[in-house]
Amino acid sequence: MSIAIFHYQTVMMVFCDANNPGDALSEASKQVMYDLHSHTTASDGLLTPEQLVHRAAEQGIDVLAITDHDTVAGIAPAQAEIARAGLALRLVSGVEISTVWENHEIHIVGLGVDETHPALRTFLANQHQLRESRARMIAERLEKARIPGAWEGAQKYAEGGTVTRSHFARFLIENGRATTIADVFKHYLARGKTGYVPPQWCTIEQAIEVIHHSGGQAVVAHPGRYRLSAKWLKRLLAHFAQCGGDAMEVAQCQQAPDERNQLAQYARQFMLLASQGSDFHQPCPWIELGRKLWLPEGVAPVWQRWSHNEP
Ligand code: AMP
Ligand code: MN
Ligand code: MN
Ligand code: MN
């Protein structure tokens, strides 16, 4: 399993007081900082894998998972850069798999997958095909709505990485259709809008299976962002747990005041481990690697059994 790994949760650091070099050694404990959800240019992030690992190190992250949409292409270059630059950062090989459940698009993060595993590669190649055909359908719909060139436009922004709706959003902004990503989603790409294509993704069960098969842990991504009622969210978590899923994200940087505690309670109720991640896509004022990431008392962290093996 290619996970970066700690038996302990705090690292004791010893600081030497520069004014009293001989005697005054003070001890302070530094919490290990985990950010287990992030994106690069391999999907819809704006930083290359190399840029992302440098930013993570600068932000004081100790353990970073790169979890691009339906691809692991960012992992090897990130790992190579960590080694080349000698960064004090451990990388967790991750992926964020798009699934469909009860007509909702649900994202399942895989943490600690073997990114070279043939079963995972085959699975992601299939997701890639699904993404490609969906992207063509989105472009056709936009074309019919007198917005030509969307296919080429999205391809241009994807730069050879996984094509996502974010790339269409950037094209539509360039086209003058809206000024913000949120607006462009609201008017063109959200469910029921001109450029929306109903999802054809794999099932949650299939995502969990391939994550486990390639040595990883399966995590429900951002459970608070699916606009599900409490009843439906509990149904989702029950289904995920019943299918053998391991964990759910409890902490993100942007959450309503009670959301984190509520999610922690669900994690306990459905006996799921708890994860945390920024879902960082690009530098912006309100989302940053590691920002506001901590778990409430009483949940078991997803990293609790990670051992000290080298990634
Ligand atoms: P896709 O996987 O192709 O459906 O694209 C999903 C990605 O689009 C998400 O991971 C987000 O990065 C982005 N996204 C989805 N909805 C919104 C939204 N309302 N505002 C901004 N970005 C969004
Ligand atoms: Mn995204
Ligand atoms: Mn997501
Ligand atoms: Mn994400």
Side-chain angles (χ1 to χ4, degrees), residues 60-214:
I61 306 298
D62 299 296
V63 184
L64 175 76
I66 292 181
T67 55
D68 276 307
H69 297 286
D70 298 304
T71 181
V72 287
I75 304 296
Q79 196 62 271
E81 182 60 14
I82 289 171
R84 191 200 65 77
L87 300 179
L89 176 70
R90 286 176 178 257
L91 187 70
V92 176
S93 305
V95 64
E96 181 173 15
I97 297 176
S98 295
T99 75
V100 63
W101 171 80
E102 301 281 359
N103 212 21
H104 294 284
E105 289 189 54
I106 305 296
H107 290 177
I108 305 297
V109 161
L111 295 178
V113 293
D114 170 4
E115 74 276 10
T116 65
H117 198 291
L120 182 65
R121 293 275 174 175
T122 306
F123 183 91
L124 294 180
N126 188 52
Q127 290 280 103
H128 182 83
Q129 287 304 318
L130 295 174
R131 277 194 171 274
E132 176 126 340
S133 61
R134 183 186 68 150
R136 287 196 185 277
M137 284 191 267
I138 291 174
E140 273 170 31
R141 288 191 191 207
L142 291 173
E143 184 105 39
K144 280 192 193 135
R146 296 166 196 261
I147 306 175
W151 169 256
E152 294 76 14
Q155 293 294 324
K156 183 186 85 181
Y157 282 106
E159 291 179 348
T162 307
V163 183
T164 72
R165 280 184 292 166
S166 301
H167 301 109
F168 281 98
R170 288 173 207 161
F171 161 76
L172 288 165
I173 288 173
E174 176 195 284
N175 222 259
R177 303 286 165 167
T179 49
T180 67
I181 294 269
D183 267 359
V184 99
F185 266 90
K186 197 163 137 198
H187 296 296
Y188 292 93
L189 298 169
R191 188 189 287 250
K193 301 299 174 184
T194 319
Y196 184 74
V197 174
Q200 306 285 323
W201 311 128
C202 66
T203 64
I204 287 178
E205 205 164 0
Q206 288 170 322
I208 294 172
E209 189 187 2
V210 75
I211 289 167
H212 284 172
H213 204 70
S214 53

Side-chain angles (χ1 to χ4, degrees), residues 37-39 44 67 69 96 107 109 221-222 225 279-281:
H37 190 148
S38 68
H39 294 269
D44 58 350
T67 55
H69 297 286
E96 181 173 15
H107 290 177
V109 161
H222 42 68
R225 247 196 268 154
D279 203 2
F280 180 89
H281 281 74

Side-chain angles (χ1 to χ4, degrees), residues 107-111 204-212 216-221 236-249 266-267 270-274 302 305:
H107 290 177
I108 305 297
V109 161
L111 295 178
I204 287 178
E205 205 164 0
Q206 288 170 322
I208 294 172
E209 189 187 2
V210 75
I211 289 167
H212 284 172
Q217 289 166 293
V219 185
V220 179
L236 165 66
L237 296 173
H239 174 71
F240 176 77
Q242 205 223 333
C243 291
D246 305 281
M248 60 183 274
E249 287 180 356
Y266 290 153
F270 295 99
M271 294 201 282
L272 293 168
L273 301 171
V302 67
R305 295 206 190 88

